[in-house]
Amino acid sequence: MKSSINFSLKNLTRQKRRNSVLVAAIAFGFFVVTAIDAFTTGIVSNLENQITQLVGGNVICQGLEWVNPSTPGGKVQLVNIVRDRDYVKNILEESKIPYEYYSCFTMSSGQIIFNGKKSSIQLYGRDLEEKQLVESMQFESGGIDLNVKNGLIISDKTATSLNLQVGDEVIYSTYTVYGQNTVADMKITGIMKSNSFINTLQSYCDIEDLNAISEMPEGGYSMFSIYLHNKNKQTKAAKMLEARIRQDADVNPEINVTSRDLAMKTNPTNIGKGIEKQVDSRNPDNEWKGVMYGIETLYDEIPQIKTVMLIVHTVAFVILLVILLIVMIGVSNTYRMVLYERIREIGTMRALGMTRKDTRKVFTSEAVVLCVIGAILGLVLAVIAMSIIHLIPISNEGLSLFLSKGHFSFKVSVWSVLIQYIMLILLTSLAVRGSAKKAASLSPAEALRTIK
């Protein structure tokens, strides 16, 4: 095999111009395929990451409980409260689910008022010392100040709309977790750069400050979010978490958990809606004591993301096949010419003892080596081009959803590249099979008598 490859490399230097054109065509094909696959995967991944930040992780666990009315004749309310901050965290650590990090946070929707102007925001109460949260923030001015009570971090778009600066005091109007109107004085400590319209409305403050404003019980929170190392395992992680909580629910009537199996039966195409039905306050059958833990994944909430990813990879695969088929036609035609040009040479080699099998190997390995060289060059060119494009800042707001911190990002899958190379080798072998077979079947005497 080694001698066949060495012989093939020597043969490739004989028709330098023709082989260079063929290598360039293969390189261009692989450049296009690799760039398109990495680009589409990158923009869809950026979109998914931004939605993950907005929704709150790959796996989301929230607590819901019924609260008696505060006034006579009032209705029982379903409120979003998890009172025990350590319960889900301890289960997560016991279950050995491979996660990157987790976060407890309280959510609140409302308006900030400044000098008679109003702006709607989605306020997240978070632990402002979380490393991942801090690293995700890009501040235009100010920053995190844990010494300021009711300190507020807003987006640059919100700051511009109200003409706010760091140090300004605003009024935050919202609702408590029990649905009552409430207001609070807050002070701007930081203004973040918003990369898309999704995080334009996002604002942050310390979780304990927001808990006090929204009358969340001390130590409680709205949602527990888990960010996984492998986002493709979020369904498995959700099932593990649900099964572990159900063990406690079997012995403790104050603990309840939603059922993914039931959700799949009621809404097989949208598990998120099936789970929501199990905690819908309008359904009189939804009654429980204590807390109901609702566990969902990002794909449950937004199943379209998986569909988009599948479409992207399917389109990239079809493009790859088309380009490879075009290249293979060129390879097949080239080696028909090579066979004609080397008939007497083949006769000489056969007369000197080269077997038919070795003759086929020489032709096939020469074509494979040629295509692999072209594919490697195409991959290198694609990596260089992607690195350059990634450095270019993009300020178009319409594209912001598909960017990572204002830049296009590319994701090259090692497995995808390996599959492309395997397909290349197989198709190349098929493309030259006819020529190689014909060369191997030539009689030495007949080949030496051939006049070109």
Side-chain angles (χ1 to χ4, degrees):
M1 185 67 182
K2 185 178 178 181
S3 59
S4 297
I5 294 175
N6 290 334
F7 195 68
S8 301
L9 289 172
K10 289 179 181 178
N11 283 339
L12 291 176
T13 61
R14 295 167 61 179
Q15 292 288 344
K16 294 181 181 179
R17 181 177 296 180
R18 183 174 62 200
N19 290 334
S20 296
V21 171
L22 190 55
V23 166
I26 296 168
F28 178 75
F30 260 74
F31 166 80
V32 172
V33 170
T34 304
I36 289 176
D37 187 44
F39 177 70
T40 52
T41 302
I43 62 174
V44 173
S45 179
N46 290 337
L47 174 62
E48 183 174 350
N49 289 338
Q50 294 204 45
I51 295 175
T52 300
Q53 290 294 331
L54 181 67
V55 173
N58 306 114
V59 180
I60 307 104
C61 178
Q62 58 180 333
L64 297 159
E65 63 179 51
W66 294 102
V67 175
N68 292 323
S70 57
T71 58
K75 293 182 178 181
V76 177
Q77 299 180 70
L78 186 62
V79 297
N80 184 197
I81 297 176
V82 179
R83 298 179 185 272
D84 187 349
R85 187 170 295 184
D86 293 329
Y87 176 68
V88 181
K89 180 190 75 173
N90 292 337
I91 287 179
L92 176 64
E93 292 174 349
E94 289 173 11
S95 62
K96 297 181 181 180
I97 296 173
Y99 64 90
E100 186 176 349
Y101 68 100
Y102 60 82
S103 179
C104 306
F105 58 92
T106 300
M107 291 191 301
S108 171
S109 297
Q111 292 182 322
I112 51 175
I113 305 168
F114 182 72
N115 287 342
K117 294 182 178 180
K118 299 179 181 180
S119 181
S120 297
I121 63 169
Q122 182 75 33
L123 184 57
Y124 292 81
R126 299 279 297 267
D127 178 358
L128 297 180
E129 293 183 302
E130 284 182 12
K131 179 183 177 183
Q132 291 82 2
L133 176 64
V134 174
E135 288 178 350
S136 69
M137 293 180 173
Q138 293 178 285
F139 287 102
E140 287 201 341
S141 60
I144 296 172
D145 190 343
L146 299 176
N147 296 317
V148 176
K149 182 175 176 57
N150 288 353
L152 180 63
I153 300 168
I154 60 174
S155 71
D156 54 353
K157 299 293 176 61
T158 301
T160 300
S161 66
L162 297 182
N163 196 25
L164 285 168
Q165 297 180 349
V166 171
D168 288 339
E169 293 187 356
V170 299
I171 297 173
Y172 178 54
S173 174
T174 186
Y175 294 92
T176 68
V177 292
Y178 305 103
Q180 300 166 337
N181 289 319
T182 187
V183 294
D185 293 326
M186 304 192 78
K187 186 175 183 179
I188 307 298
T189 63
I191 297 175
M192 300 180 300
K193 183 178 180 181
S194 56
N195 297 317
S196 71
F197 70 83
I198 281 184
N199 56 24
T200 294
L201 300 179
Q202 286 180 306
S203 301
Y204 296 92
C205 71
D206 184 75
I207 185 170
E208 300 303 341
D209 290 340
L210 185 54
N211 281 354
I213 294 170
S214 61
E215 298 183 10
M216 176 72 72
E218 185 177 352
Y221 59 90
S222 302
M223 193 174 291
F224 188 94
S225 61
I226 306 169
Y227 298 81
L228 303 175
H229 285 296
N230 187 346
K231 60 189 177 185
N232 294 321
K233 294 185 177 181
Q234 53 188 269
T235 299
K236 181 180 178 181
K239 287 181 177 179
M240 292 174 66
L241 194 61
E242 179 190 306
R244 177 60 184 82
I245 295 176
R246 182 161 285 111
Q247 291 179 11
D248 291 343
D250 291 339
V251 297
N252 187 345
E254 297 292 317
I255 295 177
N256 307 271
V257 65
T258 53
S259 170
R260 293 185 64 83
D261 291 339
L262 179 60
M264 289 183 69
K265 290 179 182 177
T266 55
N267 285 76
T269 59
N270 194 322
I271 298 175
K273 286 186 177 179
I275 292 175
E276 288 170 9
K277 285 182 179 179
Q278 298 173 35
V279 295
D280 190 345
S281 60
R282 295 169 296 180
N283 188 343
D285 296 330
N286 290 337
E287 295 182 3
W288 60 82
K289 292 182 179 180
V291 61
M292 170 70 78
Y293 289 98
I295 301 172
E296 294 180 85
T297 69
L298 176 66
Y299 293 156
D300 294 338
E301 286 283 329
I302 312 172
Q304 294 85 355
I305 289 180
K306 291 185 74 173
T307 303
V308 170
M309 289 293 287
L310 179 62
I311 291 172
V312 165
H313 289 302
T314 301
V315 170
F317 183 74
V318 170
I319 293 173
L320 168 66
L321 281 179
V322 171
I323 291 177
L324 283 179
L325 288 173
I326 294 172
V327 169
M328 291 311 107
I329 291 171
V331 171
S332 178
N333 290 333
T334 298
Y335 276 84
R336 284 194 185 122
M337 295 171 58
V338 169
L339 172 63
Y340 176 73
E341 292 172 355
R342 297 184 187 170
I343 285 179
R344 300 194 69 182
E345 179 184 323
I346 293 168
T348 302
M349 292 188 297
R350 290 294 313 282
L352 293 174
M354 180 176 279
T355 65
R356 292 184 176 184
K357 185 178 179 181
D358 289 336
T359 306
R360 283 198 303 270
K361 278 184 180 180
V362 168
F363 263 75
T364 304
S365 59
E366 183 178 330
V368 169
V369 169
L370 184 72
C371 289
V372 169
I373 291 172
I376 292 173
L377 288 175
L379 179 62
V380 172
L381 288 173
V383 170
I384 293 171
M386 290 184 292
S387 300
I388 294 171
I389 294 172
H390 176 68
L391 296 174
I392 302 172
I394 308 296
S395 58
N396 189 322
E397 192 167 335
L399 297 174
S400 58
L401 265 179
F402 307 103
L403 305 177
S404 175
K405 296 184 178 180
H407 295 264
F408 282 120
S409 58
F410 299 82
K411 288 198 172 184
V412 179
S413 169
V414 175
W415 287 110
S416 178
V417 172
L418 286 175
I419 289 171
Q420 291 172 15
Y421 273 74
I422 291 171
M423 288 178 61
L424 173 70
I425 292 171
L426 291 175
L427 289 175
T428 301
S429 299
L430 288 173
V432 299
R433 184 179 179 183
S435 298
K437 189 175 180 180
K438 192 171 182 180
S441 63
L442 283 173
S443 165
E446 181 185 345
L448 289 170
R449 285 197 301 268
T450 302
I451 300 174
K452 295 187 288 181

